Amino acid sequence: MLKMGLKLCALSAVIALGFSGYANSILGVAKSQVDFNQEFLKQDCANENYLQAQMEQVNKDNDPIFVAINAGSIARSCGDFNKSNEFFDLAESKYKYDVDLESIGKKKGQSLQQA
């Protein structure tokens, strides 16, 4: 009986670890984070095209919070503090609009349902 329980626990652990490794790939997050890590490690601070391309992605609402925070980090490490602040301000405003307003709407909806 104890042996069966241990086998079941081990099997559950292996399955959970297997699925957790695929979760980021399925959601598309892992590729973006890996790409950012590579860009951060071998950044070319003289290349203005990179930051401009990132700004275009933010303006197109192509995962703007993630892109703005990552581009702001790269701009900051390159010493371009004005551009870094611009990216971080954009990320903050997108967060306030996209996430905070959504939360407020959900809270209002829930309170109306309870009434």
Side-chain angles (χ1 to χ4, degrees):
M1 188 74 142
L2 181 62
K3 250 183 172 177
M4 184 61 125
L6 289 175
K7 285 182 181 178
L8 186 58
C9 253
L11 180 62
S12 297
V14 168
I15 290 172
L17 286 174
F19 280 121
S20 68
Y22 289 107
N24 286 338
S25 298
I26 291 169
L27 296 173
V29 174
K31 183 178 184 304
S32 298
Q33 188 61 46
V34 169
D35 290 344
F36 167 71
N37 290 344
Q38 292 301 317
E39 291 166 358
F40 192 82
L41 290 175
K42 50 185 175 166
Q43 55 192 287
D44 180 12
C45 293
N47 184 0
E48 286 290 320
N49 293 332
Y50 172 78
L51 293 178
Q52 184 59 37
Q54 299 306 303
M55 186 63 74
E56 289 172 8
Q57 280 190 4
V58 171
N59 291 332
K60 289 180 183 176
D61 282 338
N62 186 4
D63 201 4
I65 297 169
F66 179 78
V67 173
I69 289 173
N70 290 336
S73 298
I74 289 176
R76 177 139 323 213
S77 69
C78 287
D80 190 348
F81 300 109
N82 290 332
K83 186 60 86 172
S84 174
N85 288 339
E86 184 179 351
F87 277 114
F88 290 142
D89 289 344
L90 281 169
E92 181 183 23
S93 68
K94 294 281 186 183
Y95 183 86
K96 284 180 179 178
Y97 181 77
D98 294 344
V99 178
D100 287 346
L101 286 180
E102 181 179 314
S103 296
I104 291 169
K106 284 183 181 178
K107 290 177 188 174
K108 295 247 186 225
Q110 288 173 352
S111 66
L112 289 175
Q113 286 177 349
Q114 292 174 356

